[in-house]
Amino acid sequence: MIISRNPYTGEEISKHQELSDTEIENCIQNAHTRFHLWKQTSFAERSNLMMKAAKELKDNSQEYAEAITKEMGKPITQAIAEIEKCAWVCEYYAENAATQLKDETIKTDAKKSYVSHEPLGVVLAVMPWNYPFWQVFRFAAPALMAGNVAILKHASNVMISAGNIQKVFEKAGFPKDCFQNLIVGSKKVENIIRNKRVKAVTLTGSGPAGSSVASIAGEEIKKSVLELGGSNALVIFKDANITKSVKTCVQARFQNTGQSCIAGKRLLLHKDIAEEFLDEFTKQVRELKSGDPMDKETFIGVMAKETLAEDLEDQVKDSVKKGAKIILGGKRDGAYFEPTILTEVKKGMPVFDEETFGPVISITEFKNDEEAIELVNSSNFGLGVSIFTEDENFAIKMVPKFEDGAVFVNELVKSDPRLPFGGTKISGYGRELSHHGIKEFINRKTVYFNKY
């Protein structure tokens, strides 16, 4: 039995009976059967259904958002924004998939030669709790539009949301078994990946989970895409607009109560502006409203589980023992962790070296551009970096020096349906979103007509 609790109240809110091995096998077989019909549908048919899914999300955003908030504590206004973003990704692929996957003509000595883009089949998605709708939809929308079918293994604490996602596709009119939510725990994942009808797997989650899934998929010679953790740097150069940069950095770190792989977790300040920036940053963080996630005024809610808050507390305490200074916050109350700022942070401290998945930010000063680059690239993670400067030419020269999957200038790192999203190093491989993402789970088929 999978049990979910409201992290704010501690109340048990749902129980879900885990599927048996026989039931899982039947679900996969049904998906496989549906695939052979679904792949024959036109882009126009798929687009029509995907637009209906977007409408369903918009029409019932409050209902779906409230389930997110109750299950994992996301402040309600941010949960509604998540649902609206899912509608956007559905609309984007409904409008663009046909063009993105059209045959690509290549001139050779053949009478005719081109590349066609054909779906793979049943794709397994292993998804996390922190953005329980968005993480799924940014996979599902392109996968379904490409002609694949999807099966979902969602995080155990967001099974209501997982069921709601399946409901969205059903209410939109997608044929039965195009998208299925499998009520299973982590121990069932290996056998699902190894099932011969499952052709590929995508995972968003922790490094250990990604390593395990990639290993199993590798043994089976199956395609995998991994979007793992991050420890993004926010780099404030001495010519940055401090007023605007502070506002962006507060949002970058503390939205979703800091529980985001792409959050800016390491704030790197040029020594010449460090004091001024930190004073204003601390003032704005102190003003963030904490409280009931169902309150529209709340910006900082509880963390999704008390154990996660305990882990974060250990990282902070260990860093303080190694010399970091707490200038704001630092206290935990159950699943709630105060917005926390640590200064004098150096490499070798957990809050610098590890991913801090909660409302904690580390502050490190740098003297020059070379030191800033070294601090950014010294991380084992490579999801994204934000740099803040008023000199566009300087920013352009800096971009190639960072090893991350994304560089955002004067903006927080964020995912956008129109742009590829993914990381380097232990942040994973492959890309989601844009035309790059929709082509991850297709067969690029070479077609060649000889001249007789």
Side-chain angles (χ1 to χ4, degrees):
M1 187 69 68
I2 297 175
I3 298 173
S4 180
R5 294 184 181 277
N6 183 321
Y8 183 70
T9 65
E11 170 192 8
E12 181 181 304
I13 55 175
S14 66
K15 288 184 178 180
H16 304 267
Q17 182 62 51
E18 191 169 0
L19 297 178
S20 68
D21 290 343
T22 299
E23 289 171 323
I24 294 170
E25 175 64 28
N26 289 339
C27 288
I28 295 173
Q29 178 57 53
N30 291 341
H32 179 69
T33 300
R34 171 55 61 190
F35 166 66
H36 288 286
L37 298 171
W38 178 244
K39 71 177 183 179
Q40 297 176 43
T41 59
S42 67
F43 281 111
E45 292 175 83
R46 299 174 202 166
S47 177
N48 179 54
L49 293 172
M50 196 61 72
M51 291 298 285
K52 289 181 178 179
K55 185 176 186 303
E56 168 62 22
L57 288 163
K58 290 178 178 178
D59 289 349
N60 295 287
S61 61
Q62 186 71 30
E63 173 193 344
Y64 296 135
E66 286 181 3
I68 291 174
T69 298
K70 290 175 182 176
E71 284 192 301
M72 54 72 62
K74 187 190 298 289
I76 187 64
T77 54
Q78 297 173 37
I80 291 171
E82 179 177 341
I83 300 300
E84 292 171 346
K85 191 170 185 178
C86 292
W88 180 23
V89 79
C90 289
E91 292 168 345
Y92 171 79
Y93 279 110
E95 294 168 353
N96 292 286
T99 299
Q100 292 168 339
L101 296 181
K102 68 180 180 180
D103 292 347
E104 179 186 352
T105 299
I106 299 175
K107 291 184 178 181
T108 66
D109 56 353
K111 178 181 180 182
K112 178 167 59 174
S113 53
Y114 60 93
V115 176
S116 65
H117 303 94
E118 301 178 9
L120 295 181
V122 181
V123 183
L124 168 66
V126 182
M127 292 291 149
W129 49 262
N130 60 327
Y131 285 87
F133 262 65
W134 172 246
Q135 307 280 22
V136 177
F137 271 91
R138 73 182 188 189
F139 148 75
L144 290 169
M145 284 302 302
N148 296 299
V149 297
I151 54 175
L152 170 66
K153 187 281 174 207
H154 218 324
S156 296
N157 60 326
V158 290
M159 280 296 168
I160 297 175
S161 293
N164 282 342
I165 293 169
Q166 180 172 321
K167 183 167 74 172
V168 168
F169 287 114
E170 290 173 347
K171 291 181 73 172
F174 278 80
K176 182 177 173 58
D177 303 321
C178 267
F179 182 97
Q180 295 181 76
N181 170 46
L182 304 185
I183 303 174
V184 297
S186 298
K187 293 180 180 179
K188 300 279 190 179
V189 171
E190 178 172 352
N191 285 340
I192 295 173
I193 296 173
R194 294 190 188 280
N195 189 294
K196 65 181 181 180
R197 297 174 185 84
V198 174
K199 303 303 181 184
V201 57
T202 180
L203 175 140
T204 299
S206 69
S211 179
S212 175
V213 163
S215 176
I216 297 164
E219 289 178 9
E220 298 294 325
I221 320 298
K222 294 182 179 181
K223 177 69 179 288
S224 62
V225 170
L226 303 180
E227 196 275 279
L228 308 178
S231 186
N232 290 8
L234 302 161
V235 189
I236 316 299
F237 291 99
K238 63 182 178 180
D239 70 329
N241 182 311
I242 291 180
T243 300
K244 293 180 180 179
S245 299
V246 167
K247 183 178 179 181
T248 300
C249 289
V250 171
Q251 183 78 13
R253 183 59 193 112
F254 294 101
Q255 66 178 349
N256 202 34
T257 315
Q259 299 169 117
S260 172
C261 57
I262 57 172
K265 302 178 176 89
R266 297 179 296 139
L267 180 55
L268 310 182
L269 304 177
H270 191 282
K271 65 180 182 60
D272 290 353
I273 51 87
E275 183 177 355
E276 180 184 359
F277 187 98
L278 188 54
D279 285 348
E280 180 60 27
F281 184 81
T282 304
K283 175 179 177 289
Q284 291 193 25
V285 174
R286 187 179 284 114
E287 293 171 351
L288 297 175
K289 177 177 170 51
S290 297
D292 184 348
M294 292 299 291
D295 183 343
K296 291 182 179 180
E297 300 301 315
T298 295
F299 190 84
I300 300 290
V302 291
M303 295 182 66
K305 296 178 183 179
E306 185 170 351
T307 53
L308 297 169
E310 291 171 345
D311 292 342
L312 188 63
E313 184 179 39
D314 289 341
Q315 289 176 306
V316 170
K317 286 182 175 179
D318 191 13
S319 297
V320 170
K321 287 179 182 177
K322 294 181 177 180
K325 307 295 182 185
I326 298 175
I327 65 167
L328 184 70
K331 295 184 177 64
R332 178 182 68 83
D333 181 7
Y336 172 72
F337 202 96
E338 292 180 321
T340 298
I341 301 174
L342 293 171
T343 60
E344 300 183 35
V345 173
K346 298 177 175 60
K347 287 185 287 185
M349 296 179 182
V351 294
F352 188 96
D353 295 347
E354 302 171 6
E355 180 174 32
T356 49
F357 215 69
V360 171
I361 191 161
S362 69
I363 311 294
T364 304
E365 294 185 21
F366 64 90
K367 299 181 183 66
N368 52 49
D369 300 344
E370 289 71 27
E371 185 178 7
I373 295 165
E374 193 277 330
L375 286 168
V376 172
N377 291 338
S378 65
S379 175
N380 289 325
F381 298 95
L383 200 50
V385 55
S386 294
I387 64 173
F388 296 83
T389 174
E390 294 286 87
D391 187 339
E392 185 173 330
N393 289 329
F394 169 74
I396 290 171
K397 292 177 182 177
M398 291 294 286
V399 167
K401 300 180 185 297
F402 300 114
E403 299 168 353
D404 296 64
V407 178
F408 279 63
V409 181
N410 297 326
E411 181 60 284
L412 54 86
V413 175
K414 56 187 176 181
S415 53
D416 181 318
R418 299 163 294 188
L419 296 170
F421 180 82
T424 60
K425 304 180 184 178
I426 65 170
S427 289
Y429 53 75
R431 291 294 181 266
E432 296 180 297
L433 302 176
S434 78
H435 69 91
H436 297 279
I438 199 172
K439 292 176 182 175
E440 286 286 4
F441 297 116
I442 53 95
N443 172 23
R444 295 173 175 84
K445 181 178 288 184
T446 296
V447 182
Y448 186 103
F449 287 79
N450 193 19
K451 295 177 180 177
Y452 276 122

